[in-house]
Amino acid sequence: MPPMIPYEDLKGVNAPFEVALRASFGQTLGSGWYILGGQVQAFEGAFAAFCGARYCVGVASGLDALTLGLRALELPSGGEVIIPSNSYVASIVAVIQAGLIPVMVEPDSRTYNMTAASLAQGITSRTVAIMPVHLYGKPCPMIEIMKIASQAGLKVIEDCAQAHGAHIEGQRVGTFGHIGAYSFYPTKNLGALGDAGAIILNDAALFDKLKALRNYGSEKKYHNLYVGYNSRLDEIQAGFLNVKLPFLDKITAHKRAIAARYDAGLDLRVVKPQISEGDVFHIYPIMVERRDDLRAYLLDNGVGTEVHYPVPPQKQVAFLSLFSGQEYPVAAYLASHELSLPISYAHSFDQIDRVIALVNKFLGV
Ligand SMILES: Cc1ncc(COP(=O)(O)O)c(C=O)c1O
């Protein structure tokens, strides 16, 4: 049997950057400055410029980017935040940790994202904010969502954890709403070698507040304005991100090329993701009957896959009381049919062709 095609090979993804990553570590080690130093400052400037935002605040994780972002918006405690019913749990945890109430609306069954119409159905007199999640690397329809938000006077925090560089007609995600939150978890399109996150925004007062919130609520050493967090982007991780950011467009181009190959080669018996120009394919999700059988067949034939996500939020033990008595059939369908095929910077086109041939063989093509 040919060598295994892993779903994810992070060592392989980072191999092209190994020399520069080691040099960056050496530079930070030698600098003797390990918290909020030159690497963090350089990354914040470069990432803001990459996104087309005025400001960037580096934080410890994507979850913290969402939580601090919500905290900084000063939303009334107990207010409702609208999120999609198929998101990763971090979106919901952030809302709860910020003292707010998550209200889920169904995603579109073909784009897997919140739409203006589904969002409108979730708005009540208690709604204070909307959290569109650009799931799998596909932008939500932000122009329509922002129209509704501004008519209803709602804040918008974009969860961009899976959508680095994704755009709508050239405008990057995270710059449509009031705040954009990013994760640099190692598997992300721009991944650190540990946990890391960032917030992008255009408002100067919010920027000052977020810089304080991530650092114990302190704007000036030993003077605390807020009950803050210790959620500073790590200096070593910022150095690694500085090495990889200039290659993000190349990483995205490779993932788009793999997606195009799947799109052309996979049989129509699987539901393939719709492709738009601004998608960045953090994941290549197909929807397929007998998903678990296909997954086992691929594994038997040396191909690793993933499921994003097998347990939808309404079924998570942690949230049972929050969403009890409510139905989310689209999210339930996605959880039982979604299969993520290999798509990373480390995968070759030959490997992808092998995956395509195996999926089609399973389907009887
Ligand atoms: C949609 C979404 N939101 C938020 C997060 C949280 O990011 P982190 O793991 O860096 O806290 C993730 C990723 O893990 C995610 O996929």
Side-chain angles (χ1 to χ4, degrees):
M1 189 154 89
M4 174 86 189
I5 302 174
Y7 177 71
E8 193 74 80
D9 168 18
L10 289 177
K11 193 173 168 206
V13 164
N14 287 313
F17 314 110
E18 184 175 340
V19 172
L21 291 169
R22 287 185 189 280
S24 170
F25 173 74
Q27 205 183 330
T28 305
L29 179 66
S31 77
W33 191 290
Y34 305 134
I35 299 285
L36 296 182
Q39 296 280 15
V40 169
Q41 208 176 355
F43 178 70
E44 288 173 337
F47 195 62
F50 174 83
C51 295
R54 212 165 289 157
Y55 307 111
C56 171
V57 180
V59 294
S61 69
L63 172 62
D64 283 3
L66 291 168
T67 309
L68 269 64
L70 287 165
R71 273 282 309 273
L73 290 170
E74 293 185 2
L75 303 165
S77 155
E80 294 176 356
V81 180
I82 300 178
I83 53 172
S85 57
N86 59 328
S87 187
Y88 180 57
V89 291
S91 319
I92 298 165
V93 171
V95 171
I96 296 168
Q97 285 190 347
L100 301 159
I101 295 175
V103 169
M104 300 201 298
V105 297
E106 288 270 75
D108 180 79
S109 61
R110 281 301 287 118
T111 65
Y112 319 132
N113 271 338
M114 174 190 285
T115 64
S118 67
L119 157 65
Q121 283 172 9
I123 296 179
T124 71
S125 58
R126 297 174 299 280
T127 307
V128 293
I130 305 163
M131 186 188 287
V133 181
H134 307 295
L135 204 69
Y136 305 149
K138 178 184 269 305
C140 296
M142 287 311 299
I143 303 193
E144 295 83 352
I145 288 173
M146 290 313 295
K147 228 178 254 171
I148 293 185
S150 78
Q151 276 161 8
L154 302 174
K155 299 289 187 199
V156 176
I157 175 164
E158 296 175 62
D159 184 339
C160 310
Q162 301 188 3
H164 311 73
H167 65 87
I168 299 168
E169 291 176 16
Q171 184 175 347
R172 303 267 201 217
V173 296
T175 61
F176 292 89
H178 299 89
I179 276 178
Y182 283 83
S183 161
F184 307 113
Y185 185 81
T187 59
K188 304 298 193 216
N189 286 16
L190 178 61
L193 307 191
D195 277 310
I199 298 157
I200 60 165
L201 69 165
N202 288 321
D203 182 281
L206 263 184
F207 174 56
D208 288 341
K209 184 162 186 195
L210 280 162
K211 275 196 301 182
L213 274 179
R214 74 167 169 192
N215 192 20
Y216 290 104
S218 166
E219 270 185 343
K220 197 171 123 197
K221 203 169 181 184
Y222 303 132
H223 294 260
N224 294 70
L225 292 174
Y226 315 104
V227 181
Y229 302 77
N230 177 350
S231 182
R232 302 171 289 226
L233 172 58
D234 183 79
E235 186 72 4
I236 294 171
Q237 297 303 334
F240 296 152
L241 292 168
N242 281 325
V243 167
K244 291 179 73 178
L245 179 59
F247 296 93
L248 178 54
D249 285 338
K250 204 173 161 201
I251 293 167
T252 302
H254 186 70
K255 297 188 86 162
R256 284 181 176 147
I258 290 176
R261 218 162 173 98
Y262 278 135
D263 193 60
L266 286 173
D267 185 68
L268 290 174
R269 270 167 273 193
V270 302
V271 179
K272 299 176 240 182
Q274 291 177 345
I275 298 187
S276 305
E277 196 201 337
D279 299 352
V280 294
F281 292 97
H282 170 51
I283 279 160
Y284 189 85
I286 59 171
M287 302 298 153
V288 62
E289 298 299 327
R290 296 176 55 215
R291 186 264 316 272
D292 295 338
D293 291 344
L294 172 58
R295 191 170 188 208
Y297 172 81
L298 289 173
L299 191 60
D300 282 349
N301 285 279
V303 175
T305 56
E306 264 298 338
V307 171
H308 296 92
Y309 300 94
V311 183
Q314 79 265 28
K315 293 271 165 62
Q316 295 289 352
V317 174
F319 310 140
L320 280 184
S321 60
L322 265 178
F323 306 119
S324 69
Q326 302 187 54
E327 298 286 324
Y328 303 97
V330 180
Y333 170 86
L334 299 177
S336 59
H337 288 76
E338 196 273 348
L339 186 68
S340 302
L341 300 180
I343 183 165
S344 82
Y345 196 48
H347 286 112
S348 69
F349 294 138
D350 283 350
Q351 288 179 312
I352 300 308
D353 289 345
R354 220 175 97 207
V355 178
I356 292 170
L358 282 167
V359 172
N360 287 346
K361 194 167 168 199
F362 175 84
L363 296 168
V365 181

